[in-house]
Amino acid sequence: MQIKVPATSANVGPGFDSVGVAVSKYLTITVEGPSEEWYIEHDLDYVPHDKHNLLLKTALKIKSDLKPHRLKMVSDIPLARGLGSSSSVIVAGIELANQLGDLNLSKEQKLQLATEIEGHPDNVAPAIFGNLVVASYVDKKATAIVADFPDAAFLAFIPDYELRTSDSRGVLPTQLSYKKAVAASSIANVAVAALLTGDLTKAGQAIESDKFHEQFRQKLVPEFSTIKAIGHDHGAYATYLSGAGPTVMVIAPHEKVEVINKAVNALNFKGECVSLTVDKKGISVS
Ligand code: HSE
């Protein structure tokens, strides 16, 4: 059995802690068979192979008496870069428990469990449902609406440094005035409505007008403003900070991506530029 989970790009500008999109990088877990002890084969440094691995911690939290198996974990989702690497592992862990424990969990139940464990529905929901997801997690209840992301190309600049979500949340204000919160939420509403109606030009303007988090986090990602300016010069719809960063995501018409890619590469920032597509499927088991 194989469990495949896409990467996620959360926030999408003003959809802070609420909006996310699944993108074409993947974590794959292969269940090789029953074993005396749990063991996960992988080639990541400093990541446990046993029950201390997040995958197994999650699976065993969902069902503590699962029979041990030997597993293989392969992922091209970079760690601590704002592309949902740990979300993918948590979502895979829930699915592992679902499959090995015959739990028959619905997608909504998986969302609730994953959000309780990870904390942010915008990170985990697109990994479960695929596509564009608008979600909330209030009073311990997760709710999500899934929709088609309008046709566009995604270009991710993935810096070669890590940024922990806790550090990136540490620079956010603890309070926002009522007036600012109303303004920030109206911008988020327009971004979502524009995405749902396929108006990428208006969506792009709203995405770039975020008032919840990007202005505070910019100092942690020095490449962000330069890449955003390149997007403006070359016809991108929007540039935003993917999740808690440091990945910078550009959404652009397909025909503009190559020139944006070249312009970003010419900056010689340390990191890589990767073309991504929207994953429409979410988690799959085969
Ligand atoms: N919405 C979350 C944040 C996603 O931006 O902090 C990362 O966990």
Side-chain angles (χ1 to χ4, degrees), residues 9-11 15-19 82 84 86-87 118-123 165-166 168-169 172 213 217 241-245:
S9 178
N11 297 327
F16 182 62
D17 280 0
S18 171
V19 178
S86 47
S87 297
E118 207 275 345
H120 308 118
D122 53 333
N123 263 344
T165 298
S166 51
S168 186
R169 290 185 87 86
L172 300 177
H213 70 115
R217 288 172 158 172
L241 208 53
S242 183

Side-chain angles (χ1 to χ4, degrees), residues 106-177:
S106 67
K107 287 198 170 185
E108 281 66 28
Q109 287 172 313
K110 291 178 204 171
L111 171 68
Q112 181 65 30
L113 292 166
T115 310
E116 280 167 11
I117 295 168
E118 207 275 345
H120 308 118
D122 53 333
N123 263 344
V124 291
I128 295 167
F129 296 98
N131 231 321
L132 170 67
V133 185
V134 182
S136 62
Y137 184 53
V138 177
D139 295 336
K140 302 198 172 153
K141 168 96 180 83
T143 309
I145 294 288
V146 187
D148 267 340
F149 200 99
D151 185 38
F154 280 68
L155 185 70
F157 172 72
I158 308 172
D160 68 359
Y161 56 89
E162 298 188 349
L163 179 54
R164 298 269 149 210
T165 298
S166 51
D167 294 335
S168 186
R169 290 185 87 86
V171 299
L172 300 177
T174 49
Q175 292 195 323
L176 210 55
S177 76

Side-chain angles (χ1 to χ4, degrees), residues 35-39 51 68-70:
S35 159
E36 291 275 293
E37 301 275 342
W38 287 104
Y39 185 81
K51 280 204 276 197
H69 281 72
R70 192 181 165 90

